[in-house]
Amino acid sequence: MVYKLADNILSPLGTTTEQNYQAVKAGRSALSRYCNHPFLPEPFTASLFSDEQNREMSIDGLTRFESLAVRSAKDALANVVFDTSDHRVVFILSSTKGNNTPPLWGGREGFGQTTDDGLAESASRICQALGISTQPIVVCNACISGASAIILGMRLLEAKAYDYAIVCGADVLNTFILSGFQSLKALSPNECRPFDMERLGLNLGEAAATIVLGSKPPNTQHPTPYTTPPLWGGREGFGVGSNAWHIEAGAVRNDAYHISSPSKKGDGAYLSLFSVIEGRNTEDLAFINAHGTATMFNDQMESVAIERAGLKDVPVNALKGYFGHTLGAAGILETVLSMRALDDNLILGTRGFEELGVSGKISVSATNQSTQKKSFLKMISGFGGCNAAIWATKAQTPITLTPSLWEGWGGFQHPNYSVVITPEQILVNGLEYSCSGKGKAMLTEAYKRYIDDYPKFYKMDMLSRLGFVASELLLAAEKAALKGQLPPSSETGMGSRAVILFNHSSTLCADRSYFETISDAENFFPSPSLFVYTLPNIVTGEIAIRSHYHGETAFYILREKDEKLMNQILQATLLDTNTQSILTGWLDYEDDQHFSADLYIINTTHST
């Protein structure tokens, strides 16, 4: 079992969890309407840090994005006592775009720090500022990144790979991100209204949030009781004899439906919910904190999934009306704020909601309500068909520690099938596949010669094309070896195959292509078809759609190809016993002459 030791929320509403909670409790919102803003040529509504806030939070030598992450993590770490440089401490960063691209059209003060470095380099600088010695893990899993990062932290601690996990989510807004969502017709001109009949779309927001996880309850982390006073005038959750928040379960599932639209039946969201509530008493749930973006399709899908899971009578709330959609920070921010609300025996209301505008029969909490229950569900969805759910409970200490899920686990078999692709050659199980072309042309030739039955291939970005060709050749080799009989581990239901990929450069090639559509204010034509591929986990969605995989999908960014760290993550992924095998490996595409794929399939050896 994994416990929350400390947390922080850093947003335009405040610099601590308590400041943010009190603002939301009072009904305040950070959303404002911006006109003539350098980010967009059209008016938009969003939650942005002020120039003054940016100056106050700036750290020399770090970008604005990195400064936010460091400030949030340091605030959380001030409430715990362990050596961050210890090899038993892991840092997990969740973000969709990180530093991204420089501000356009003469950006305003506070937005001038830029870097060409990607998320891997940013995570390393953040770790250096925090005194963390282990290699950071970046979760880049679209809008569910924060929840995915919490689940990964939980699993790594359950696996006893680490004793502490510092999980930090952050994203900042710029022309790149705002124009992309605008091109998808997803932005509301006014403040968003989750689940409401009059909802018009989402608002975006900036934030950083941190949750520090430990493998023991808070009052057992130290040899002596806390000597510092509890924060916020004696709030429960810290110190001997207090209540302790713990993460009971988490799951990630894919729709296998579309890369930018959710399944109408809410398949992935339902499967993730079902996985975490199975065997648990849903009568203990105080509420479900939904994603609630206020887009037409997301809210509809979530309502269907909640009803399908038998949870229609559990109160539902959404927090986007206070912060906007904070992207990589959202899953952590909303989980932490939900914990703080239940510390106060409160179900926070859904700002902007008046009349139900979805077909799923759910009970949306419009105003603050009191509760005595101590558990909640966090659910969230994102591009690439990914969905996540987390069950968190506040339990009275002392707590009897349960055996780790890792105990008795058999590990995984060595890969039986593998594909390696470089700009010069394609190897399948060590045998070279004939292609006369090189670089980008070789991938197209390989598709035509060995696959050639999926025209959508030509609409994909190059990272997805690389992943598609490599995965198709890999699966063909597996099928041939098994004489056409698919193994149970590749079935499409709950006991399905996961798709877990790693790289260093994220979507650098696609980012460059999209930037060309917005770099000139006089020739501004943001492309939705290009923007959606600026998320690396889209390739995992493409593979899931092609093969009808409803299992877990995730994309991780590392400073370098570290086989030991990759294996830790894969082993932790298999703690979800519904996952029987993983299609995994390294997949990176910097440009048309510099790319590599090294994919393989692993199967668990534990019995289910």
Side-chain angles (χ1 to χ4, degrees), residues 372-431:
Q372 296 302 312
K373 296 181 178 181
K374 299 299 182 183
S375 297
F376 70 90
L377 278 172
K378 170 63 192 163
M379 62 184 298
I380 195 164
S381 304
F383 288 164
C386 54
N387 302 267
I390 293 172
W391 181 303
T393 295
K394 186 177 184 180
Q396 292 286 339
T397 55
I399 297 174
T400 301
L401 296 179
T402 57
S404 169
L405 293 174
W406 192 251
E407 294 178 8
W409 187 79
F412 55 74
Q413 299 172 347
H414 293 294
N416 294 318
Y417 318 101
S418 65
V419 169
V420 175
I421 300 178
T422 68
E424 288 74 38
Q425 64 176 353
I426 297 176
L427 298 175
V428 180
N429 292 337
L431 299 177

Side-chain angles (χ1 to χ4, degrees), residues 21 87 114 130 209 269 288 305 358 369 424 446 450 476 502:
Y21 172 67
H87 72 284
T114 64
L130 298 174
I288 300 168
V358 292
Q369 303 177 38
E424 288 74 38
Y450 301 113
F502 305 83

